[in-house]
């Protein structure tokens, strides 16, 4: 596995892990939640930021006044993010413009060129 760029398969594997295993790979930071809520928000370090070390994905939860509840919410957010990134990319197909499309483009270019040529100043003689 290339640690710089995890693939969708890596994200699928992490999304399938149980929450307790997922928590083992995470670095947890607690802090005072900011924003609306006043005294209820600023009473303790109840907001939680979790960073999944192998992938570098970071999520934050400050919904609850309980740090334990915020940790659980962070793990669920991580799993949801992994599930979102686990979608396999669509296969790319080489395409080329049709002959009619090329002719239309060239006709538009000719028409535009003639329009611009008519804008030129006429020499006064």
């Amino acid at each position: 596995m290339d640690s710089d760029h995890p693939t969708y398969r890596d994200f699928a594997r992490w999304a399938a892990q149980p929450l307790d295993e997922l928590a083992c790979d995470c670095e947890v930071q607690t802090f005072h939640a900011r924003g609306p809520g006043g005294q209820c928000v600023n009473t303790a370090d109840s907001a939680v930021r979790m960073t999944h070390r192998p992938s570098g994905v970071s999520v934050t939860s400050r919904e609850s006044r309980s740090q334990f509840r915020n940790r659980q919410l962070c793990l669920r957010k991580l799993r949801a993010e992994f599930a979102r990134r686990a979608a396999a990319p669509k296969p790319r197909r080489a395409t080329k413009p049709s002959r009619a499309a090329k002719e239309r483009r060239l006709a538009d270019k000719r028409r535009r060129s003639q329009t611009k040529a008519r804008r030129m100043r006429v020499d006064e003689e």
Side-chain angles (χ1 to χ4, degrees), residues 63-123:
E63 286 85 10
S64 172
R65 288 180 67 187
S66 163
Q67 190 182 110
F68 178 78
R69 177 82 178 124
N70 283 334
R71 284 175 187 251
Q72 297 303 313
L73 290 170
C74 272
L75 288 172
R76 289 200 179 111
K77 285 182 182 181
L78 265 177
R79 180 183 275 169
E81 179 65 19
F82 290 155
R84 187 185 69 77
R85 294 185 184 196
K90 289 183 182 177
R92 296 182 65 174
R93 291 179 25 211
T95 59
K96 64 178 187 176
S98 66
R99 183 171 33 177
K102 284 182 190 175
E103 289 171 1
R104 279 193 305 270
R105 188 169 61 235
L106 290 174
D108 285 342
K109 284 176 70 111
R110 275 191 298 274
R111 209 171 13 258
R112 192 83 183 129
S113 170
Q114 291 167 356
T115 302
K116 288 187 175 189
R118 283 193 295 264
R119 288 186 197 152
M120 283 200 228
R121 178 177 294 211
V122 179
D123 291 332

Side-chain angles (χ1 to χ4, degrees), residues 29-84:
Q29 297 172 323
T30 58
F31 57 96
H32 276 295
R34 297 180 53 118
Q39 289 174 325
C40 293
V41 170
N42 297 325
T43 52
D45 289 347
S46 59
V48 176
R49 179 182 303 114
M50 278 191 165
T51 305
H52 187 250
R53 283 188 222 98
S55 66
V57 174
S58 180
V59 293
T60 304
S61 177
R62 57 176 290 273
E63 286 85 10
S64 172
R65 288 180 67 187
S66 163
Q67 190 182 110
F68 178 78
R69 177 82 178 124
N70 283 334
R71 284 175 187 251
Q72 297 303 313
L73 290 170
C74 272
L75 288 172
R76 289 200 179 111
K77 285 182 182 181
L78 265 177
R79 180 183 275 169
E81 179 65 19
F82 290 155
R84 187 185 69 77

